[in-house]
């Protein structure tokens, strides 16, 4: 019998926990270490921050999900790894109790956090959207501002998927509330490079920027923030951008505390260095995947930090590790990028598609249909963890709720 301990129940971790039971041996045990009680699909955190997320329908309780899918959930955070004893140290989320958990195979999927690049004042004066808790705190502040009825300004640093989706969602909410004497909101979306979505095809950046500007969002390109104060951001060329609430959504890194633990190898953004088969370069009983792992690819690049990649890696590892426990060799994870979809509000999205091809040759589509494809990506994740029947029921319930619930 082997004990498999998965740390982190996000896009990668919960899929892996669900799928492993189907591939490993009957006697093997799966434990999921995760400090939250419920799983949230991280690409939707901006909806929590804007107050548009339906937590009744779109979250999964680890306790009941684990009971149904054959894994045990420990509500705790990993704090250290002891490779000599094959144990990890964890801290209970509710009681702060410290204890050790033994493993035969350890799989780390703790995701990433925003990278403030040590910008002065960013930690103290910006809201980060790294967890459901932070997103909820953001909503408490936003809901107050949206009801203030006097003009307010929001600064958002980073025009990647997170910043773009957050800006669009806040704009939509404030526009809706204007009818009820809500707050006229000015939104500054601040980006250091010369285009929004700098890691996407140029055509996609162009279309997204057009849509943002159509929605009266100020897109400030080539604007690098040097310092953040309580109510403003100061650029490197000394411009001051005043705001009532400020978000930081630029760049990612694995959490600082991870770097160095267990004597594993880490890169400069704290990601764990792994081989193509997802074993860490230092210890073949420890695996890492998702945003916290630097996964090399045959072309010399690395798997990008995105939800689709985390899901695919989880599916791959479930099969590969299952096979390994049945005596087969581990297999390499080769990521075929199917493109990317970014939502700009509830009725518009822009997507770049072309499985496996180079970024410049991907084709870009936009509109309501692409917005529906964006939703499908989340539904596919839900299907993996809950099955088609549950997803169908959730979709019908959501539709009925949208039709029958009062507008306000
Ligand atoms: C607002 C937002 C919008 C995004 N939009 C998109 C998008 O449109 N498209 C896209 O492809 N990607 C998007 N992303 C990125 C995407 O969410 C990530 O790439 C993906 O979630 C990574 O999956 P993961 O499993 O590695 O980590 P996560 O999904 O972040 O999960 C990590 C889990 O680990 C847990 N954890 C953390 N620390 C510990 C610890 N010490 N011990 C135990 N557990 C721990 C966390 O609670 C969490 O549940 C977005 C991200 C954000 C924040």
């Amino acid at each position: 019998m082997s004990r498999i301990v998965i740390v982190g129940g996000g896009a990668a971790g919960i899929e892996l926990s669900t799928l492993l039971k189907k591939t490993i041996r009957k006697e093997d045990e799966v434990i999921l270490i995760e400090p939250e009680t419920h799983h949230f699909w991280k690409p939707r955190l901006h909806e929590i921050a804007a107050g548009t997320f339906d937590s009744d329908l779109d979250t999964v309780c680890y306790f009941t999900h684990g009971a149904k899918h054959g894994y045990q959930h420990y509500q705790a955070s990993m704090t250290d790894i002891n490779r000599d004893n094959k144990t990890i140290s964890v801290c209970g989320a509710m009681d702060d109790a410290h204890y050790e958990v033994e493993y035969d195979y350890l799989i780390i999927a703790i995701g990433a956090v925003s990278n403030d690049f040590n910008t002065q004042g960013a930690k103290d004066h910006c809201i980060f959207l790294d967890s459901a808790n932070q997103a909820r705190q953001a909503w408490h502040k936003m809901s107050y501002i949206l009801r203030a009825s006097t003009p307010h300004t929001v600064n958002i640093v980073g025009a990647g998927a997170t910043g773009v989706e957050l800006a669009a969602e806040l704009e939509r909410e404030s526009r809706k509330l204007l009818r009820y004497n809500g707050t006229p909101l000015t939104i500054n979306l601040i980006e250091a490079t010369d285009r929004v979505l700098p890691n996407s095809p140029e055509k996609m950046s162009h279309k997204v920027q057009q849509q943002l500007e159509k929605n009266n969002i100020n897109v400030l390109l080539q604007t690098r923030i040097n310092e953040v104060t309580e109510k403003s951001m100061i650029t490197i060329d000394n411009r001051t951008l005043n705001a009532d609430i400020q978000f930081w959504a630029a760049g990612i890194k694995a959490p600082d505390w991870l770097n160095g633990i267990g004597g594993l190898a880490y890169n400069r953004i704290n990601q764990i260095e792994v081989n193509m088969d997802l074993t860490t370069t230092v210890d073949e009983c420890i695996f890492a995947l998702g945003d916290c792992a630097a996964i090399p690819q045959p072309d010399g690049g690395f798997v990008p930090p995105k939800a689709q990649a985390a899901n695919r890696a989880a599916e791959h590892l479930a099969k590969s590790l299952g096979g390994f426990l049945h005596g087969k060799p581990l297999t390499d994870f080769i990521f075929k990028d199917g493109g990317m979809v970014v939502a700009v509000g509830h009725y518009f999205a822009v997507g770049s598609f072309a499985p496996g091809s180079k970024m410049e040759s991907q084709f870009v589509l936009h509109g309501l249909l692409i917005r529906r494809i964006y939703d499908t990506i989340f539904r596919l994740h839900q299907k993996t963890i809950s099955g088609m029947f549950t997803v169908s029921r959730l979709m019908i319930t959501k539709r009925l709720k949208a039709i029958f619930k009062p507008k306000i």
Side-chain angles (χ1 to χ4, degrees):
M1 173 201 140
S2 296
R3 176 185 270 195
I4 301 159
V5 175
I6 300 168
V7 183
I14 195 168
E15 287 210 1
L16 184 61
S17 308
T18 313
L19 296 171
L20 263 183
K21 216 52 201 171
K22 296 177 193 152
T23 61
I24 56 180
R25 297 162 305 187
K26 242 196 177 125
E27 65 272 24
D28 296 325
E29 182 189 12
V30 179
I31 291 174
L32 173 66
I33 310 282
E34 163 63 54
E36 299 276 348
T37 55
H38 286 72
H39 165 72
F40 292 83
W41 174 241
K42 208 173 174 186
R44 299 189 69 178
L45 285 188
H46 64 280
E47 292 180 17
I48 301 181
T52 53
F53 186 78
D54 190 335
S55 48
D56 285 345
L57 296 180
D58 292 334
T59 62
V60 173
C61 165
Y62 290 112
F63 176 71
T64 47
H65 187 260
K68 191 166 172 209
H69 292 276
Y71 67 87
Q72 237 185 308
H73 172 223
Y74 290 6
Q75 197 189 346
S77 298
M78 178 177 83
T79 54
D80 206 352
I81 302 170
N82 187 331
R83 290 198 292 119
D84 296 333
N85 306 341
K86 285 186 123 182
T87 59
I88 58 168
S89 307
V90 302
C91 174
M94 302 310 290
D95 52 6
D96 264 354
H98 291 264
Y99 55 100
E100 306 287 302
V101 178
E102 286 177 22
Y103 66 83
D104 294 300
Y105 298 100
L106 174 66
I107 301 167
I108 306 172
I110 60 158
V113 294
S114 312
N115 192 345
D116 67 8
F117 307 102
N118 294 324
T119 306
Q120 196 184 332
K123 255 189 207 72
D124 297 328
H125 305 300
C126 285
I127 297 176
F128 296 81
L129 286 189
D130 295 329
S131 67
N133 249 343
Q134 286 175 335
R136 271 185 228 110
Q137 283 165 18
W139 168 236
H140 284 311
K141 293 192 178 155
M142 272 319 301
S143 75
Y144 176 72
I145 282 179
L146 288 170
R147 289 178 284 118
S149 300
T150 52
H152 278 67
T153 302
V154 178
N155 281 341
I156 301 172
V157 179
T162 309
V164 164
E165 291 180 350
L166 176 65
E169 199 71 13
L170 292 178
E171 186 279 332
R172 179 176 169 272
E173 272 314 284
S174 74
R175 186 159 26 95
K176 245 170 55 183
L177 290 177
L178 274 181
R179 272 181 273 161
Y180 307 94
N181 200 25
T183 300
L185 205 60
T186 301
I187 301 174
N188 296 324
L189 181 62
I190 303 159
E191 169 59 44
T193 69
D194 60 356
R195 60 191 174 99
V196 302
L197 301 177
N199 298 322
S200 306
E202 273 186 46
K203 282 178 280 182
M204 182 165 177
S205 303
H206 179 68
K207 194 71 222 168
V208 168
Q209 184 172 342
Q210 243 183 8
Q211 188 66 21
L212 291 168
E213 287 175 340
K214 200 169 143 195
N215 293 355
N216 292 321
I217 292 166
N218 299 327
V219 180
L220 309 175
L221 299 176
Q222 292 179 308
T223 305
R224 197 175 285 276
I225 300 303
N226 191 35
E227 189 187 340
V228 184
T229 69
E230 199 183 344
K231 292 278 178 195
S232 70
M233 290 186 170
I234 298 152
T235 66
I236 46 168
D237 52 0
N238 256 331
R239 271 183 300 149
T240 302
L241 302 166
N242 294 319
D244 302 282
I245 184 162
Q246 317 194 88
F247 289 90
W248 192 280
I252 63 132
K253 60 176 180 176
D256 292 332
W257 63 264
L258 184 69
N259 198 337
I261 70 167
L264 301 174
Y266 295 87
N267 69 9
R268 64 183 171 79
I269 56 164
N270 309 331
Q271 287 173 313
I272 301 169
E273 292 182 0
V274 298
N275 303 306
M276 270 195 272
D277 63 9
L278 304 176
T279 54
T280 57
T281 52
V282 172
D283 188 328
E284 57 190 20
C285 292
I286 304 184
F287 299 74
L289 73 166
D291 287 1
C292 70
I295 307 170
Q297 293 292 276
D299 65 1
F302 288 86
V303 172
K306 51 190 204 176
Q308 184 200 135
N311 294 155
R312 297 268 164 80
E315 282 166 25
H316 178 88
L317 189 56
K319 279 193 202 132
S320 175
L321 184 57
F324 181 75
L325 292 171
H326 286 94
K328 294 183 191 152
L330 291 169
T331 54
D332 288 345
F333 171 58
I334 313 290
F335 177 58
K336 292 204 175 65
D337 199 338
M340 179 173 189
V341 183
V342 172
V344 190
H346 275 219
Y347 302 103
F348 191 88
V350 184
S352 61
F353 307 91
S357 74
K358 292 249 178 296
M359 196 155 76
E360 16 342 321
S361 55
Q362 294 188 349
F363 58 92
V364 171
L365 297 172
H366 57 88
L368 180 61
L369 183 67
I370 306 303
R371 185 62 178 82
R372 296 294 164 252
I373 291 178
Y374 176 86
D375 293 336
T376 308
I377 298 169
F378 169 61
R379 294 296 173 202
L380 285 175
H381 170 67
Q382 264 190 331
K383 178 179 154 269
T384 306
I385 60 177
S386 302
M388 199 56 216
F389 181 58
T390 304
V391 175
S392 308
R393 280 195 308 175
L394 287 169
M395 285 170 72
I396 293 166
T397 313
K398 195 159 187 166
R399 199 71 225 120
L400 291 175
K401 215 171 156 181
I403 293 169
F404 290 114
K405 77 167 192 205
K407 286 275 170 279
I408 289 296

